[in-house]
């Protein structure tokens, strides 16, 4: 992704194929006599060995696969080192990967180069040595309390790195490790921010399950938080050559939300004794990594965003792709962080039954009772304390394209269309299997409730805009502002209220039925046929229905009821 890569990235990248070849040959042997069963029945050891033997995992720990006890001891040494480093630096630190590892002498001294996420905000590289009293190759178990660590050396906060390809699109004010955008520093233009806000606010009286939300597929799996360290597939797909692209997103939860995304997917998995946010654990090319980000940290980040005063009225939808074999009944590890960090901002199933029996509330109603988070899950609702069952139908981008004229979308039901941009050499090709969303416009026009893209960025988000034309509104809105839907641009423009144009008229019985008035008039004197009212399209589908009947005529749209929400 970046034009200039750190030395550690280049080193790791150069070893991918060497590791890949060695693991393939190793895996052939283990099918008949799995060594880790012979050496130890310990579940922890088996779990680590299973992960590091995966063909797509590039790690210096691979050379210790034939010594499982040593491998686990070195893993624990890195984890203990990060805990110690965090205490000394007085910062919350999380291990995100072991970049390099060297045995210095006699299986007792080792040098580590690791990647650490500090303060849940920025990535830094840390170096240290550890001395282990007893040679690991002669020990059946290790006393971790006797490990001795040298002074930690850190590259510190890398603030002047060149931003990579996607981070440049977000005009990030700080790019750190690998040229990735530091959390909270992505920027979008004031025009785009206002256009997306407008599209949210004009849906204020729509039922929640019909509110069109720009969405992020696998939003947890982002480079800003240390996923996809080795990614090098050039954006956008299709990729011309085999490559590795493990992260679905470039930007953090914070930046996706700041850019206007309001629906995000998180995949919780119980593995390595923790509740992590990971990919499918059972596929050999995917799976939990031992230092994937913890689920509670992700929920905490989202909670910090929703509790900021400027975001208090923003309604978001979270989707947990879950199941009995994902989280193994650890309900408290899902419900606990939700209760702690999102708390009473969550619309619970019980709230829904109490206040809105038999229906979904509108955006306005949610704000009135201060419930701005809705959570749904596929497979496991963890007792239904906070989580609804998935209420929409979904399909891949390829399936959507294969159904011309929006025929794959049932507009009587909420819908989600998703894609996957990840690629794992020849094991998985997401762009080929699912397709990739490179333009939101067709999904908005077809009325897809949740178009869920990978690598969401400001350029992609611009394609979701169906309201304001570039540069509009050309001056600040007031209560007397008048807005035209222009026949040529098919976008909104501020107009002279004294001019005469046709009016956009919506059926009082069918919200998707639009006509234009038969005679023109001034904005403040609307005229619509019987059974119709002067209105404004509330989503992309309604917008397209209006455009279809305009017949190259510019029309007034009724923005007046929503101006107070936008100024």
């Amino acid at each position: 992704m970046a034009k200039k890569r750190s030395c550690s990235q280049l080193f790791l990248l150069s070893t991918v194929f060497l590791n890949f070849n060695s693991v393939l040959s190793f895996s052939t042997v283990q099918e008949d006599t799995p060594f880790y069963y012979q050496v130890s029945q310990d579940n922890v050891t088996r779990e680590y060995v299973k992960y590091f033997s995966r063909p797509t995992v590039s790690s210096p720990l691979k050379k210790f696969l034939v010594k499982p006890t040593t491998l686990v001891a070195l893993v624990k040494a890195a984890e203990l080192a990060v805990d110690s480093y965090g205490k000394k630096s007085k910062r919350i630190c999380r291990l995100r990967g072991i970049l390099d590892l060297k045995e210095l002498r006699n299986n007792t001294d080792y040098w580590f180069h690791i990647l650490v996420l500090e303060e849940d905000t920025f990535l830094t590289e840390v170096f240290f040595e550890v001395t282990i009293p007893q040679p690991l190759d002669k020990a059946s178990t290790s006393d971790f309390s006797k490990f001795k660590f040298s002074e930690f050396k850190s590259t510190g906060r890398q603030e002047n790195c060149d931003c990579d390809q996607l981070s440049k699109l977000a005009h990030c004010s700080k790019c750190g490790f690998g040229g990735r955008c530091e959390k909270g520093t992505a920027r979008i233009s004031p025009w785009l921010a206002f256009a997306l806000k407008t599209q949210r606010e004009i849906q204020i009286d729509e039922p929640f399950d019909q509110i069109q939300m720009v969405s992020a597929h696998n939003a947890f799996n982002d480079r800003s938080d240390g996923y996809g360290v080795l990614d090098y597939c050039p954006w956008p797909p299709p990729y011309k050559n085999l490559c590795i692209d493990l992260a679905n997103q470039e930007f953090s939860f914070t930046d996706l939300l700041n850019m206007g995304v309001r629906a995000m997917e998180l995949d919780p998995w119980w593995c390595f004794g923790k509740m992590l946010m990971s990919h499918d654990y059972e596929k050999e090319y995917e799976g939990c990594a031992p230092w994937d980000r913890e689920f509670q940290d992700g929920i905490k980040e989202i909670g910090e965003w929703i509790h900021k005063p400027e975001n208090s009225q923003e309604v978001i939808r979270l989707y947990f792709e879950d199941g009995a074999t994902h989280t193994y009944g650890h309900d408290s590890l899902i419900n606990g962080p939700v209760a702690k960090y999102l708390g009473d901002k969550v619309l619970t199933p019980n709230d829904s039954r109490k206040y809105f029996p038999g229906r979904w509330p509108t955006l306005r109603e949610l704000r009135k009772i201060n419930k701005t988070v809705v959570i749904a899950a596929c497979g496991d609702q963890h007792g239904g304390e906070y989580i609804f069952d998935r209420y929409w139908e979904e399909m891949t981008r390829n399936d959507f394209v294969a159904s011309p004229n929006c025929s794959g979308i049932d507009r009587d039901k909420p819908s989600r269309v998703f894609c996957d941009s990840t690629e794992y050499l020849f094991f998985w090709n997401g762009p080929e299997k699912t397709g990739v969303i490179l333009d939101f416009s067709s999904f908005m026009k077809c009325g897809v409730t949740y178009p869920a893209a990978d690598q969401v960025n400001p350029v992609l988000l611009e394609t979701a805009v169906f309201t304001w034309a570039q540069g509009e509104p050309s001056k600040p809105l007031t209560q007397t502002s008048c807005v035209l839907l222009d026949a040529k641009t098919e976008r909104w423009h501020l107009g002279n209220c004294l001019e005469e144009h046709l009016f956009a008229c919506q059926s009082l019985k069918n919200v998707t039925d639009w006509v234009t008035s038969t005679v023109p008039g001034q904005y403040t004197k609307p005229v619509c046929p019987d059974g119709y009212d002067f209105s404004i399209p509330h989503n992309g589908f309604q917008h397209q229905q209006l455009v279809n009947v305009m017949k190259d005529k510019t029309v007034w749209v009724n923005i007046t009821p929503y101006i107070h929400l936008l100024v």
Side-chain angles (χ1 to χ4, degrees), residues 283-433:
K283 294 180 180 177
E284 75 171 342
Y285 51 80
E286 295 178 322
C288 282
W291 307 298
D292 279 348
R293 198 170 176 220
E294 292 192 33
F295 176 80
Q296 63 175 349
D297 290 343
I299 297 298
K300 180 182 178 183
E301 180 184 347
I302 295 169
E304 289 172 347
W305 189 88
I306 66 170
H307 284 105
K308 289 182 177 180
E310 62 268 30
N311 301 324
S312 63
Q313 297 294 294
E314 295 293 342
V315 175
I316 66 172
R317 187 229 68 195
L318 302 179
Y319 168 43
F320 299 164
E321 188 174 74
D322 201 346
T325 58
H326 286 227
T327 47
Y328 289 96
H330 292 281
D331 295 346
S332 63
L333 296 182
I334 300 297
N335 293 327
V338 170
K340 183 176 181 179
Y341 298 116
L342 305 181
D344 57 9
K345 299 288 282 185
V346 179
L347 178 76
T348 68
N350 188 54
D351 291 331
S352 182
R353 288 187 290 268
K354 180 179 179 181
Y355 297 111
F356 315 105
R359 68 179 180 89
W360 283 99
T362 65
L363 195 63
R364 190 189 300 274
E365 291 172 325
L366 285 170
R367 288 174 174 173
K368 186 176 181 179
I369 62 172
N370 198 31
K371 302 290 184 179
T372 58
V373 181
V374 178
I375 307 173
C378 173
D380 193 341
Q381 288 72 53
H382 300 283
E385 186 175 355
Y386 293 100
I387 304 170
F388 292 88
D389 193 11
R390 192 181 77 187
Y391 53 86
W392 60 84
E393 296 182 342
E394 60 180 46
M395 65 176 66
T396 67
R397 180 264 182 193
N398 280 349
D399 289 337
F400 172 84
V401 172
S403 304
N405 301 318
C406 310
S407 60
I409 302 300
D410 182 350
R411 274 180 288 278
D412 291 330
K413 299 178 181 178
S415 57
R416 176 176 179 260
V417 176
F418 69 94
C419 68
D420 190 345
S421 66
T422 60
E423 180 161 329
Y424 312 119
L425 301 173
F426 50 76
F427 292 95
W428 172 255
N429 186 323
E432 182 178 290
K433 293 286 186 179

Side-chain angles (χ1 to χ4, degrees), residues 499-548:
E499 291 181 359
E500 293 192 349
H501 296 279
L502 299 179
F503 296 90
C505 302
Q506 184 181 34
S507 170
L508 297 174
K509 295 182 179 180
N510 180 359
V511 296
T512 65
D513 180 10
W514 289 81
V515 298
T516 61
S517 62
T518 55
V519 295
Q522 296 178 1
Y523 179 86
T524 56
K525 300 176 181 179
V527 179
C528 282
D530 289 343
Y532 290 80
D533 198 13
F534 181 38
S535 189
I536 196 168
H538 299 95
N539 56 46
F541 179 72
Q542 291 183 21
H543 170 85
Q544 190 58 39
Q545 297 307 106
L546 175 57
V547 168
N548 291 344

Side-chain angles (χ1 to χ4, degrees), residues 35-274:
F35 71 86
Y36 48 85
Y37 282 104
Q38 299 170 7
V39 175
S40 172
Q41 289 291 331
D42 180 77
N43 288 335
V44 173
T45 299
R46 184 162 60 249
E47 196 164 19
Y48 278 110
V49 169
K50 182 178 180 180
Y51 171 74
F52 287 107
S53 65
R54 293 181 186 275
T56 52
V57 173
S58 179
S59 171
L61 288 169
K62 281 187 177 290
K63 58 188 174 186
F64 298 101
L65 281 169
V66 293
K67 301 177 181 179
T69 303
T70 300
L71 184 150
V72 173
L74 293 173
V75 164
K76 295 303 178 184
E79 293 174 350
L80 290 170
V82 171
D83 289 341
S84 178
Y85 174 74
K87 291 176 182 177
K88 290 182 178 180
S89 62
K90 297 182 179 180
R91 290 193 287 264
I92 297 174
C93 296
R94 297 281 194 254
L95 179 62
R96 294 300 281 116
I98 298 176
L99 303 179
D100 198 8
L101 170 63
K102 295 178 182 178
E103 181 181 332
L104 300 180
R105 45 192 167 271
N106 300 325
N107 297 306
T108 60
D109 291 63
Y110 296 84
W111 173 87
F112 281 80
H113 174 196
I114 61 177
L115 185 64
V116 176
L117 181 63
E118 296 196 30
E119 292 296 315
D120 204 33
T121 300
F122 63 93
L123 295 166
T124 186
E125 297 171 72
V126 176
F127 307 85
F128 68 92
E129 293 182 16
V130 61
T131 298
I132 301 170
Q134 184 179 4
L136 288 177
D137 61 345
K138 297 179 181 179
S140 58
T141 59
S142 298
D143 185 351
F144 303 133
S145 65
K146 294 183 179 180
F147 286 12
K148 296 180 180 179
F149 298 99
S150 66
E151 180 181 355
F152 297 98
K153 297 181 180 179
S154 170
T155 59
R157 198 170 193 166
Q158 303 175 39
E159 298 184 359
N160 298 313
C161 296
D162 288 342
C163 294
D164 73 6
Q165 182 185 4
L166 286 171
S167 288
K168 283 182 178 178
L169 297 179
H171 307 287
C172 296
S173 58
K174 294 179 183 177
C175 286
F177 177 82
R180 279 69 188 266
C181 191
E182 186 174 305
K183 190 172 298 184
T185 68
R187 301 288 182 268
I188 63 173
S189 70
W191 167 79
L192 178 57
F194 189 73
L196 293 175
K197 176 180 175 62
T198 298
Q199 292 178 194
R200 296 193 295 272
E201 295 303 327
I202 60 177
Q203 298 184 89
I204 191 169
D205 292 314
E206 300 298 306
F208 176 79
D209 66 329
Q210 296 176 31
I211 295 173
Q212 199 168 39
M213 293 182 171
V214 178
S215 311
H217 169 248
N218 284 351
F220 70 91
N221 186 23
D222 69 282
R223 299 188 185 99
S224 178
D225 283 301
Y227 292 87
V229 171
L230 293 176
D231 287 1
Y232 64 95
C233 296
W235 186 259
Y239 310 124
K240 295 181 179 179
N241 301 301
L242 289 176
C243 57
I244 291 180
D245 206 52
L246 304 180
N248 294 94
Q249 303 292 341
E250 175 85 355
F251 303 103
S252 66
F253 290 148
T254 298
D255 286 307
L256 288 172
L257 290 166
N258 284 343
M259 286 191 285
V261 170
R262 290 296 177 266
M264 302 190 298
E265 177 187 343
L266 290 71
D267 294 3
W269 285 90
W270 171 256
C271 45
F272 300 100
K274 295 172 285 188

